[in-house]
């Protein structure tokens, strides 16, 4: 059977400071929240395994775009910093604007996957079907752009988040006071929030110039960890478990994954691999819907040292540039693969979820290879969700 490939992307585009044992000799490049470069695992990551007597039937990928240029709001922040530091150093510069990175990532992925497998051009490239839909109608990959209720109650007017930021601000103030004193900054003043701008500029120094000097050298290692937690806390309330609404928003995406798999298994589709490219916000909504990386206690502005250092929700690790989630669907012969206790000769369908090239156990499954019907049962209440109703501003 000849299979088709489908690629879809969205077109938008008290003080808590860390002690020496936690930050000693850290690699700051791995602590840049969602602006962290994807770790290169080619020579280090163990080869993914699958059960004996099983064959891969269907692949579904949801991936974040690769490294990008700063967006306009970020560039404005850098211009503020350039003004503040104009009398300190001439080495701090602004960055150029961004591109439509999800589309570029999708095309690049297809070239890497299918170069030499087709008939086009000198590289024998195999063309693929790539599609997109208007961002305000994209309930799967542009979730935060297409949900009015989220914009009104989570992105804006988020009292829970504002409360935690208030509790945390003293940490930023301590850093801004230290930096102002060291660099003799008085007018214009260096405000506490500007410290987060420096942290962001540091991330782009690493991304595009492969160096942790210039902006990065302004911050101490423990301050970088403090800022990492500050931003994770913000993401937690904006895109994850800090809002009950966030827990529902990936329902259309997961519902489409389930439908695509079932259609293929039932012979109603020939799409072997469905590859979708999106943004960090959608990745966090997806993790939250699946129950991944949920901490026993919420991330707060006055969290304990242990809660901070041992947290699961750490975007530097789970949502770097090019973060990816694979849903691998296998057909297994039950007379050889007896884990699910099926009758002899009956086939079992299992799914393995792989996040950033590492298998993750879906909560409620008990094993990294989860029976497909069990997976669907875990999310059955939300797979046929009415996204427009969930996101209606009139909803109480």
């Amino acid at each position: 059977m000849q299979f088709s490939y489908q690629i879809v992307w969205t077109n938008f585009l008290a003080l808590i400071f860390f002690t020496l044992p936690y930050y000693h000799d850290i690699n700051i490049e791995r602590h840049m929240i969602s602006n962290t470069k994807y770790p290169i695992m080619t020579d280090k990551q163990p080869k993914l395994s699958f059960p004996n007597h099983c064959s891969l039937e269907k692949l579904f990928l949801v991936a974040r775009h690769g490294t990008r240029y700063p967006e306009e709001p970020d560039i404005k922040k850098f211009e503020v910093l350039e003004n503040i530091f104009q009398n300190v150093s001439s080495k701090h510069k602004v960055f150029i604007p961004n591109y439509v990175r999800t589309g570029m990532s999708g095309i690049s992925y297809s070239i890497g996957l299918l170069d030499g497998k087709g008939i086009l051009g000198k590289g024998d490239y195999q063309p693929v079907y790539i599609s997109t839909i208007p961002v305000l109608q994209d309930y799967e990959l542009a979730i935060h752009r297409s949900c009015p209720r989220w914009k009104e109650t989570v992105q804006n007017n988020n009292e829970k988040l504002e409360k935690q930021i208030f509790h945390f601000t003293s940490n930023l103030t301590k850093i801004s006071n230290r930096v102002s004193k060291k660099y003799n900054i008085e007018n214009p003043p260096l405000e506490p929030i500007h410290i987060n701008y420096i942290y962001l500029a540091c991330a782009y120094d690493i991304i595009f110039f492969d160096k942790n000097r210039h902006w990065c050298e302004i911050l101490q290692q423990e301050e970088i960890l403090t800022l990492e937690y500050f931003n994770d806390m913000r993401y937690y309330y904006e895109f994850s478990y800090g809002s009950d609404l966030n827990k529902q928003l990936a329902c259309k995406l997961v519902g489409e994954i389930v439908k695509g798999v079932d259609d293929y298994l039932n012979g109603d589709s020939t799409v072997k691999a469905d590859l979708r490219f999106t943004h960090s916000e959608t990745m966090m909504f997806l993790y939250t819907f699946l129950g991944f990386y949920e901490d026993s206690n919420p991330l707060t502005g006055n969290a304990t040292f242990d809660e901070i250092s041992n947290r699961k929700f750490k975007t530097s690790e789970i949502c770097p540039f090019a973060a990816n989630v694979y849903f691998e669907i296998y057909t297994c012969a039950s007379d050889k693969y007896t884990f699910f206790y099926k009758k002899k000769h009956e086939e079992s369908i299992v799914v393995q979820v792989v996040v950033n090239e590492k298998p993750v156990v879906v909560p409620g499954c008990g094993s990294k290879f989860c029976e497909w019907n069990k997976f669907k049962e875990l999310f059955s209440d939300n797979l046929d969700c009415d996204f427009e109703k969930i996101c209606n501003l009139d909803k109480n």
Side-chain angles (χ1 to χ4, degrees):
M1 179 182 294
Q2 183 176 0
F3 300 109
S4 58
Y5 289 81
Q6 178 179 359
I7 297 181
V8 185
W9 79 86
T10 177
N11 66 338
F12 4 152
L13 285 154
L15 297 181
I16 306 169
F17 273 85
F18 300 91
T19 56
L20 184 62
Y22 182 62
Y23 72 84
H24 183 58
D25 290 333
I26 67 166
N27 179 1
I28 67 170
E29 296 183 9
R30 307 255 47 90
H31 295 271
M32 294 290 116
I33 52 166
S34 61
N35 296 312
T36 301
K37 293 191 295 184
Y38 190 79
I40 304 300
M41 299 182 177
T42 304
D43 299 325
K44 300 178 181 179
Q45 188 69 5
K47 185 177 180 180
L48 291 175
S49 61
F50 54 89
N52 292 331
H53 309 289
C54 295
S55 60
L56 182 64
E57 290 289 338
K58 170 79 174 180
L59 188 67
F60 204 111
L61 167 67
V62 181
R64 186 189 177 194
H65 58 78
T67 51
R68 61 165 172 81
Y69 290 109
E71 297 178 297
E72 185 175 349
D74 294 333
I75 294 174
K76 290 181 178 179
K77 294 174 183 178
F78 300 152
E79 290 172 344
V80 170
L81 290 181
E82 193 173 46
N83 184 43
I84 293 173
F85 282 84
Q86 61 182 332
N87 296 322
V88 175
S89 172
S90 61
K91 61 187 178 184
H92 302 105
K93 301 298 181 183
V94 297
F95 298 89
I96 60 178
N98 65 302
Y99 296 98
V100 185
R101 59 263 187 189
T102 51
M104 294 173 67
S105 293
I107 293 170
S108 298
Y109 187 101
S110 68
I111 292 174
L113 178 66
L114 299 172
D115 191 32
K117 295 179 173 60
I119 59 173
L120 294 183
K122 295 181 180 180
D124 292 330
Y125 173 67
Q126 172 64 46
V128 297
Y129 175 71
I130 299 180
S131 67
T132 186
I133 62 175
V135 64
L136 296 181
Q137 300 172 24
D138 192 342
Y139 303 153
E140 298 169 18
L141 299 180
I143 296 171
H144 66 301
R145 298 295 181 92
S146 58
C147 183
R149 185 176 168 222
W150 180 87
K151 293 179 182 179
E152 181 66 23
T153 64
V154 180
Q155 182 180 37
N156 302 306
N157 306 307
N158 193 328
E159 294 181 2
K160 286 184 179 180
L161 175 57
E162 292 302 319
K163 179 180 179 181
Q164 303 311 322
I165 291 177
F166 174 79
H167 288 311
F168 198 88
T169 299
S170 54
N171 296 285
L172 305 183
T173 301
K174 183 175 181 178
I175 302 173
S176 64
N177 288 342
R178 182 196 66 78
V179 174
S180 295
K181 182 178 180 180
K182 179 177 180 178
Y183 291 95
N184 297 315
I185 298 172
E186 295 181 355
N187 189 27
L190 184 69
E191 303 292 344
I193 193 59
H194 295 156
I195 293 301
N196 205 44
Y197 297 0
I198 295 174
Y199 178 60
L200 181 63
C202 168
Y204 284 105
D205 259 351
I206 292 171
I207 292 168
F208 292 106
F209 307 116
D210 199 26
K211 61 181 65 175
N212 54 22
R213 299 189 300 274
H214 297 175
W215 291 109
C216 297
E217 68 185 2
I218 294 174
L219 299 171
Q220 298 174 352
Q221 287 190 346
E222 71 270 24
E223 294 170 345
I224 286 175
L225 295 179
T226 298
L227 291 161
E228 180 187 32
Y229 178 78
F230 172 66
N231 284 277
D232 279 348
M233 183 182 70
R234 290 175 48 239
Y235 290 151
Y236 180 87
Y237 288 94
E238 290 180 346
F239 309 112
S240 191
Y241 297 104
S243 165
D244 288 338
L245 177 61
N246 293 342
K247 301 174 185 179
Q248 307 174 63
L249 292 183
C251 61
K252 291 292 288 186
L253 174 57
V254 177
E256 184 64 20
I257 293 172
V258 169
K259 182 180 183 302
V261 171
D262 282 345
D263 284 349
Y264 179 80
L265 295 175
N266 295 331
D268 296 326
S269 170
T270 60
V271 178
K272 180 76 169 180
D274 197 333
L275 314 174
R276 304 192 176 210
F277 295 86
T278 184
H279 296 262
S280 60
E281 297 88 349
T282 297
M283 302 301 293
M284 286 185 270
F285 287 135
L286 177 59
Y287 295 147
T288 303
F289 185 88
L290 294 173
F292 293 170
Y293 314 113
E294 182 176 12
D295 291 283
S296 55
N297 296 313
L299 273 61
T300 63
N302 53 6
T304 66
F305 172 79
D306 286 341
E307 289 172 334
I308 293 171
S309 57
N310 297 320
R311 71 188 184 277
K312 298 176 184 178
F313 189 81
K314 188 176 292 186
T315 56
S316 298
E317 297 178 0
I318 66 176
C319 202
F321 286 118
N324 52 86
V325 181
Y326 284 93
F327 296 82
E328 302 174 344
I329 310 300
Y330 295 92
T331 299
C332 303
S334 63
D335 56 338
K336 300 291 186 180
Y337 186 67
T338 58
F339 179 79
F340 297 114
Y341 304 103
K342 296 289 184 180
K343 293 180 180 180
K344 200 169 184 177
H345 305 306
E346 185 176 311
E347 286 188 332
S348 296
I349 307 298
V350 299
V351 56
Q352 176 177 236
V353 182
V354 181
V355 178
N356 299 332
E357 304 178 49
K358 297 179 181 179
V360 177
V361 176
V362 176
C365 281
S367 168
K368 65 179 182 179
F369 296 105
C370 183
E371 188 175 9
W372 181 239
N373 286 336
K374 176 65 174 179
F375 179 89
K376 292 191 292 184
E377 179 185 333
L378 290 171
F379 304 104
S380 59
D381 291 341
N382 296 299
L383 293 180
D384 295 321
C385 67
D386 186 335
F387 188 88
E388 292 183 351
K389 183 177 180 180
I390 291 173
C391 289
N392 193 319
L393 280 174
D394 295 331
K395 182 178 176 66
N396 294 323

